[in-house]
Amino acid sequence: MGINRREFLKSSAAVAAASAVGITVPQEVKAAAATAEQGWRWDKAPCRFCGTGCGIMLATKNGKIVAVKGDPAAPVNRGLNCIKGYFNAKIMYGADRLTEPLLRMNDKGEFDKKGKFKPVSWKRAFDEMEKHIRKALKESGPEGVAVFGSGQYTIMEGYAAQKMVKGGFRGNAIDPNARHCMASAVVGFYQTFGIDEPSGCYDDIELTDTIVAWGSNMAEMHPILWSRVTDRKLSDPDRVKVVNIQTYTHRSCDLSDFNIIFRPQTDMLIWNYLAREIVTRDKKGGGKEDIIDWDFIKKHIVFTAGPVNIGYGMRRAGEKSLKDGKYSAKEMEIIKKEMAKKVSPLEAPALAPYGYKEGDVMKNTPGTLAHWMISFEDYKKSLEPFTLDYVAKVAKGDPDESIESFKKKLKMLADLYIEKDRKVVSFWTMGMNQHTRGTWVNTLSYNVHFMLNKQAKPGNGAFSLTGQPSACGTAREVGTFCHRLPADLMVKNPKHRAKTEKKWMIPEGTINPVGKQHIVAIQRGLEDGLVKFAWVNVCNAFQDTANANHWLKAAREMDNFIVTSDGYPGISAMVSDLVLPSAMIYEKWGGYGNAERRTQLWKQQVEPVGHAMSDTWQWVELSKRFTVKDLWGEYAPSGPRKKKLPSVIEAAKKMGYKEDTTMYEILFANKEAKKYTLDDPLLKGFDDSDSKGDSRKIIGSDGKEWKGYGFFIHKYLFEEYAWFGRGHGHDLAPFDVYHKVRGLKWPVVDGKETAWRFNAKYDPYAAKAAKETGGDFAFYGPLAKKLFSGSLTKPDKSKGKTPIPNKAKIFARPYMDPPEMPDDTYDTWLCTGRVLEHWHSGTMTMRVPELFRAVPEALCYMHPEDAKKRGVKRGELVWVESRRGKVKARVETRGRNRPPRGLVFVPWFDEKVFINKVTLDATCPMSKQTDYKKCAVKIYKA
């Protein structure tokens, strides 16, 4: 019997799916699948989308990816993919894929900021970039050249970009859009552990008895992990408990034993309530039970506090755009709270231990990371306000739920955490991270787990789930934040700068010590006129930043030059002056690091579409345009930098460089790089458009045919980056090893990955430290491990700092209101986020027909009573308006997202429903992460 091509492909897919779940497949179906796959080359890679880090298998034929399936050997997803994962191939072949550089020009062929996009050569594109970078450096110094980076950079791209910005341009105005999704988790890790990233891993799901999701719709945002949670729940439904703690009801709530719907921002109250229950039930706290593991606390923990009057990360008085009147009176109603605010009746009880009462004026100073040690008694005092009555009254988020029901759930939650032999994992994502007190609420989670000794142990721990595929690997580990260098090194630390300069073979004093231009500050710098050149890499910065109207206007009307490198023409490309076509994920060699510290690498599978080239290539080619003389002279104070940046030209000459030596020769094509030759076995049978050139015969940045660098540049960049962490608790395996395995969780020591950090039984670094300090744990992170002592309100600096090696911290953190809350005019909470089918700003997934048809537009999810009150029905259009802007969206009153009365949810993937025109650019003052989860809006019929 004959079988057609469609049936062949269906058979192939069926075999793959059946194999993933262990179903026996008939021989004739296997044979049909084998026939369908004739001539295909299968190879492994990670998925392009979220930070889960699922493995996929890609089939290529005739220079194109023809099939994708889940990788059964991948430990994260075990052969399964979510709906987006199955379309990894189709995201690369959309109809409007960018294939050549585009420059705004007038009819004479000259650059014109008000001109129309016209195709240009790569050489012309780089000529324009060079010209405008030189202008920016002359007018604003290194602070005038900025980069919107991403947690979607490959490891090699991010490392190349950072090296050129910090080692070449001597600037720190590079920051990833990962700042928007997990910066609060990072600062929480730093403050608590002294080192970044989770102590546990995904194996905790199968080992725990209790999964509590805080502000995390895992069913849609991390569906493969949720499938593992579901499997764990169904494996022992009576013992295993699942709880969702959210501001509205969604798909994750369907599995839960119970759900807690809280008022936006009040998750802080609930964490403090749990801590109070632990302390007051414990014998040392006045209770009758042995709850707190005091042996663990005494050996491994200190109690700490910090300032509370830290503001909200908004613009401050005196900033240029405020003085220039670029903000409306309505906007200033909220912005003025950055300088001072009145203590509200909701937050007054929580702030009482810190000396504040209702009606007091709190004068705010910019956010600080400062903290100091306090006594347990002071910590206990900080918890006194968080009684069940107070917390329930303020935190209850569903006006239709009774206070008795809400209290009952809070008590049930406390009982689950406290139960002696019950293992608990707390997961969270944006609900806790996108928060004006995001750092605080992250540290509050560890308080509860530490006191119960339920952290850094199999099946136990507080665990931040990352949003982007390499927010860990490239944003955090590579260090593409404005204040960081690789492997947790910091630009402000002289020893860290010196170590980096030595490895990069650049003069001592080259790296700029001031790293304050985070991603929101870069947008504000464009508006203020400080940033004259900005380059958007692997993200959609002008769609994904809150209060977007201001930044769109700054990009188009200020004296600057904006470049966007992308695969598709999103909003950032549309507001740019130059658009560069980027190779997409499987058109280049790369690596990602996922949320459980798993590093995964892949090979280039196909040549890029059109004239597209990788972001690595774009950065390295740019480096050829600038010399020692161009970049390494003296710079006057500029922007956040108050001291001059001294010339290092003479020091460079002493190192053997000349004034006309290019950054390419120093940073990328040095003697170390050229040791990575093209006869490497890994390259056999695979393309490498950057290292070897390819069959397209692209005309490159110099106007000549591109034939490659002549050395294995991706291996060089990875191995040089990996050097920083080896031997320092960030150990990565060799480049070649990652091409044999399905990723490894760092630190990788003696060829073995680490599942649970800080636990001497599993972590070699902890085992070594524990021999010296005693106990079963060692929190060996080096940051902020010398502290003053003091009270809840201030440190006592008279006695000096006390070293606290190998110890972690429990923080006293009160509840505080967000800066904008519903009132008589703007009477509704707005929450934003994602949906299962679309990725971030939709630049890729909206090009996939199947995903577009599934969810073609962003909806305004609303309670039916709120819709009725406004005279609108399901499917009708409404205006969603804030003090900053308004958008039109279609109402949805039932379905996957079910808000309580008084709150609406509008996802942000749809550029036609541009919800970030409405959101507030308030941030956590400590992490600088934007709070997209709460602002006040009014809604009316369109």
Side-chain angles (χ1 to χ4, degrees), residues 110 182 267 303 467 483 532 547 662 666 682 696 825 886:
E110 302 164 328
M182 31 51 66
D267 44 1
F303 294 92
H483 63 291
K532 299 291 186 181
N547 202 0
T662 66
I666 297 170
L682 286 174
R696 297 175 300 158
T825 304
K886 65 180 183 178

Side-chain angles (χ1 to χ4, degrees), residues 348-578:
L351 289 169
Y354 300 85
Y356 291 95
K357 63 182 183 299
E358 183 182 342
D360 283 353
V361 175
M362 178 183 284
K363 293 184 178 180
N364 293 323
T365 56
T368 173
L369 300 178
H371 55 280
W372 52 87
M373 287 189 290
I374 59 173
S375 67
F376 169 70
E377 290 305 314
D378 272 339
Y379 175 65
K380 180 182 174 184
K381 179 182 175 183
S382 78
L383 297 176
E384 286 175 2
F386 299 100
T387 62
L388 182 61
D389 286 342
Y390 168 56
V391 171
K393 178 183 176 182
V394 179
K396 187 172 75 73
D398 182 354
D400 298 321
E401 181 177 15
S402 71
I403 194 73
E404 291 77 17
S405 168
F406 192 75
K407 285 182 178 181
K408 181 180 178 182
K409 290 177 182 177
L410 291 179
K411 288 191 282 187
M412 290 165 60
L413 181 68
D415 289 343
L416 285 175
Y417 272 99
I418 290 171
E419 188 179 325
K420 260 293 188 241
D421 297 319
R422 174 170 289 279
K423 297 178 180 179
V424 185
V425 177
S426 302
F427 284 120
W428 67 90
T429 45
M430 300 310 108
M432 275 173 50
N433 291 341
Q434 292 176 341
H435 200 305
T436 54
R437 290 294 181 268
T439 300
W440 286 11
V441 75
N442 269 263
T443 59
L444 288 174
S445 68
Y446 302 116
N447 293 358
V448 168
H449 282 267
F450 279 148
M451 285 193 287
L452 300 171
N453 194 3
K454 294 183 179 183
Q455 181 68 30
K457 299 168 76 171
N460 276 305
F463 195 129
S464 166
L465 293 172
T466 313
Q468 296 187 84
S470 202
C472 291
T474 311
R476 295 156 76 169
E477 294 157 22
V478 171
T480 53
F481 285 92
C482 63
H483 63 291
R484 290 177 72 162
L485 293 164
D488 281 352
L489 302 185
M490 302 290 170
V491 298
K492 71 177 182 179
N493 187 312
K495 292 181 180 179
H496 293 180
R497 294 197 304 274
K499 177 179 179 177
T500 305
E501 288 161 346
K502 185 175 182 180
K503 185 62 178 175
W504 287 355
M505 294 180 283
I506 61 178
E508 186 176 345
T510 301
I511 295 175
N512 187 334
V514 181
K516 295 185 177 181
Q517 286 172 279
H518 55 87
I519 202 161
V520 178
I522 291 173
Q523 294 282 25
R524 293 171 182 167
L526 283 167
E527 187 176 49
D528 289 346
L530 171 66
V531 174
K532 299 291 186 181
F533 177 95
W535 191 0
V536 179
N537 288 182
V538 208
C539 69
N540 195 352
F542 288 90
Q543 185 175 340
D544 67 27
T545 307
N547 202 0
N549 282 316
H550 281 272
W551 326 131
L552 299 177
K553 191 173 181 180
R556 296 309 314 136
E557 297 181 9
M558 296 295 290
D559 177 22
N560 53 43
F561 190 79
I562 313 294
V563 183
T564 290
S565 295
D566 206 339
Y568 292 103
I571 285 176
S572 296
M574 288 188 275
V575 302
S576 293
D577 302 301
L578 175 66

Side-chain angles (χ1 to χ4, degrees), residues 54 140 176 304 390 478 707 886:
C54 294
S140 293
T304 51
Y390 168 56
V478 171
K707 296 184 179 180
K886 65 180 183 178

Side-chain angles (χ1 to χ4, degrees), residues 609-657:
V609 169
H611 293 183
M613 293 297 287
S614 76
D615 289 72
T616 301
W617 181 86
Q618 293 174 37
W619 272 104
V620 176
E621 290 304 287
L622 183 67
S623 74
K624 294 177 177 179
R625 299 292 184 116
F626 297 93
T627 66
V628 167
K629 184 179 180 180
D630 294 332
L631 301 183
W632 286 359
E634 181 181 290
Y635 292 98
S638 174
R641 182 171 48 82
K642 306 307 178 188
K643 296 180 180 179
K644 74 177 183 180
L645 204 55
S647 172
V648 293
I649 292 175
E650 292 306 314
K653 290 179 180 178
K654 291 178 182 178
M655 295 176 70
Y657 302 131

Side-chain angles (χ1 to χ4, degrees), residues 139-209:
E139 294 181 10
S140 293
E143 288 73 20
V145 177
V147 180
F148 293 102
S150 178
Q152 298 169 75
Y153 270 138
T154 69
I155 287 169
M156 297 76 152
E157 287 167 346
Y159 186 68
Q162 171 174 242
K163 203 174 183 189
M164 184 58 196
V165 172
K166 296 178 180 177
F169 292 133
R170 305 183 74 190
N172 291 316
I174 177 173
D175 211 54
N177 67 341
R179 173 78 68 175
H180 293 313
C181 76
M182 31 51 66
S184 293
V186 172
V187 182
F189 283 122
Y190 278 156
Q191 293 226 311
T192 302
F193 300 98
I195 191 172
D196 193 10
E197 300 199 30
S199 51
C201 62
Y202 298 158
D203 293 353
D204 288 325
I205 295 171
E206 284 76 29
L207 297 171
T208 194
D209 306 309

Side-chain angles (χ1 to χ4, degrees), residues 632-860:
W632 286 359
E634 181 181 290
Y635 292 98
S638 174
R641 182 171 48 82
K642 306 307 178 188
K643 296 180 180 179
K644 74 177 183 180
L645 204 55
S647 172
V648 293
I649 292 175
E650 292 306 314
K653 290 179 180 178
K654 291 178 182 178
M655 295 176 70
Y657 302 131
K658 299 176 182 178
E659 287 193 356
D660 63 354
T661 304
T662 66
M663 292 299 119
Y664 170 69
E665 296 168 275
I666 297 170
L667 300 175
F668 301 113
N670 52 56
K671 61 181 180 180
E672 290 299 316
K674 291 180 179 178
K675 291 178 182 178
Y676 295 88
T677 60
L678 297 183
D679 59 1
D680 193 300
L682 286 174
L683 288 166
K684 188 176 181 181
F686 286 88
D687 293 312
D688 186 340
S689 298
D690 294 345
S691 300
K692 301 188 295 184
D694 60 38
S695 66
R696 297 175 300 158
K697 300 185 184 297
I698 296 295
I699 302 302
S701 69
D702 57 359
K704 300 176 184 178
E705 182 183 328
W706 173 249
K707 296 184 179 180
Y709 292 115
F711 59 92
F712 198 172
I713 190 168
H714 302 287
K715 188 170 183 176
Y716 159 62
L717 291 170
F718 180 85
E719 287 292 348
E720 183 177 278
Y721 147 67
W723 173 87
F724 284 90
R726 290 173 180 154
H728 304 285
H730 258 98
D731 306 63
L732 296 173
F735 183 85
D736 290 28
V737 169
Y738 288 110
H739 287 285
K740 299 174 183 176
V741 300
R742 263 58 174 185
L744 294 169
K745 298 185 289 287
W746 62 264
V748 182
V749 180
D750 297 328
K752 296 179 181 179
E753 64 180 359
T754 300
W756 291 277
R757 287 199 302 164
F758 314 126
N759 187 321
K761 186 175 179 181
Y762 304 97
D763 182 346
Y765 282 93
K768 182 180 178 182
K771 288 180 181 178
E772 301 169 6
T773 59
D776 299 324
F777 298 85
F779 299 100
Y780 51 78
L783 297 178
K785 288 300 179 74
K786 288 184 179 179
L787 297 177
F788 292 113
S789 294
S791 66
L792 269 179
T793 56
K794 61 182 179 179
D796 177 3
K797 298 185 178 181
S798 64
K799 299 175 184 177
K801 291 185 176 181
T802 301
I804 52 167
N806 297 312
K807 291 195 174 187
K809 302 164 192 170
I810 286 176
F811 280 89
R813 307 287 204 196
Y815 162 76
M816 292 185 71
D817 294 335
E820 185 174 60
M821 301 171 72
D823 56 24
D824 291 342
T825 304
Y826 300 94
D827 59 355
T828 301
W829 288 106
L830 168 68
C831 180
T832 64
R834 293 198 285 118
V835 296
L836 170 65
E837 293 82 358
H838 290 297
W839 173 245
H840 282 199
S841 62
T843 312
M844 294 178 288
T845 51
M846 289 289 273
R847 266 77 183 180
V848 177
E850 293 87 345
L851 298 177
F852 178 81
R853 286 196 298 268
V855 183
E857 63 180 322
L859 302 173
C860 178

